[in-house]
Amino acid sequence: AQSVTQLGSHVSVSEGALVLLRCNYSSSVPPYLFWYVQYPNQGLQLLLKYTSAATLVKGINGFEAEFKKSETSFHLTKPSAHMSDAAEYFCAVSEGRTSYDKVIFGPGTSLSVIP
Amino acid sequence: NAGVTQTPKFQVLKTGQSMTLQCAQDMNHEYMSWYRQDPGMGLRLIHYSVGAGITDQGEVPNGYNVSRSTTEDFPLRLLSAAPSQTSVYFCATTQGSYNEQFFGPGTRLTVL
């Protein structure tokens, strides 16, 4: 079964600084990888997804993630943090290719942006 | 399109009480699921359904019951609430070629 780890339960960055949130999946290559964002008191929404079409994936709000098979990683980055980026971020993997396959979520990383 | 809706938004229960968390979707998706979110543990799958009349257990099903009589609705029942069930509950649907999930706004449940 797949598993997901996210290094750092809490990350703080200054406004305008680089955002780097780390995600590693278990050794077998998952068909799909996701990053979801959760703003305070809201549900999760999709930030971006990897579907094997390209290793560098661009998402909403200036975020992107790079799939690296050799490192079993799918880290999320944004060149310049904005105050509105403060939220909880979840990395997730799909166990299969169909909509009936389970999605496994990491524990989440809380991002704080310091003015 | 409302997407995925959940009621209530907040609920306080006493130990031993029962209640039903409602989830409805207007996206005509077959797959629906319930998660609970606890600090530092991400989202854990409670139950899921691949279509009307079909449900199955997820990672943490104990103390919860589900049914799926229609495509639109997927209620989650707490049979006898316990303090360990204090959590935020999310309903989600899945569609499309890439298993993308759509989440409801959540129900924050406190069991005293």
Side-chain angles (χ1 to χ4, degrees), chain A residues 98-101 103, chain B residues 29-33 35 92-96 98-102:
Chain A
T98 76
S99 58
Y100 302 134
D101 289 301
V103 175
Chain B
H29 294 169
E30 292 294 330
Y31 188 101
M32 296 185 73
S33 50
Y35 292 91
T93 71
T94 306
Q95 80 96 9
Y98 304 120
N99 213 356
E100 175 182 342
Q101 296 200 303
F102 298 84

Side-chain angles (χ1 to χ4, degrees), chain B residues 2-108:
Chain B
V4 181
T5 58
Q6 292 183 238
T7 56
K9 283 188 167 50
F10 302 93
Q11 183 69 50
V12 179
L13 292 178
K14 293 181 180 177
T15 297
Q17 287 184 314
S18 62
M19 80 158 294
T20 299
L21 308 186
Q22 301 291 346
C23 174
Q25 54 112 351
D26 61 3
M27 306 168 86
N28 203 32
H29 294 169
E30 292 294 330
Y31 188 101
M32 296 185 73
S33 50
W34 276 102
Y35 292 91
R36 60 177 289 172
Q37 181 182 23
D38 302 291
M41 304 192 74
L43 276 74
R44 292 182 292 170
L45 184 65
I46 304 172
H47 283 286
Y48 65 98
S49 169
V50 298
I54 307 170
T55 63
D56 205 347
Q57 297 181 350
E59 182 184 354
V60 289
N62 292 341
Y64 306 96
N65 206 354
V66 292
S67 59
R68 183 96 179 270
S69 56
T70 67
T71 298
E72 292 78 21
D73 300 298
F74 189 42
L76 177 73
R77 296 184 188 83
L78 278 70
L79 309 173
S80 177
S84 61
Q85 293 179 304
T86 293
S87 187
V88 182
Y89 292 85
F90 289 101
C91 178
T93 71
T94 306
Q95 80 96 9
S97 306
Y98 304 120
N99 213 356
E100 175 182 342
Q101 296 200 303
F102 298 84
F103 286 85
T107 294
R108 189 174 296 272

Side-chain angles (χ1 to χ4, degrees), chain A residues 20-41:
Chain A
L20 171 61
L21 304 182
R22 300 178 189 274
C23 171
N24 288 88
Y25 58 90
S26 55
S27 57
S28 59
V29 177
Y32 309 129
L33 287 151
F34 311 91
W35 275 99
Y36 284 85
V37 60
Q38 183 184 28
Y39 298 105
N41 300 314

Side-chain angles (χ1 to χ4, degrees), chain A residues 77-115:
Chain A
T77 61
K78 181 174 180 178
S80 176
H82 192 271
M83 296 297 294
S84 61
D85 294 327
E88 187 94 18
Y89 292 81
F90 294 93
C91 183
V93 301
S94 175
E95 290 197 322
R97 294 185 176 278
T98 76
S99 58
Y100 302 134
D101 289 301
K102 293 175 189 170
V103 175
I104 309 300
F105 286 84
T109 297
S110 177
L111 176 66
S112 298
V113 181
I114 304 164

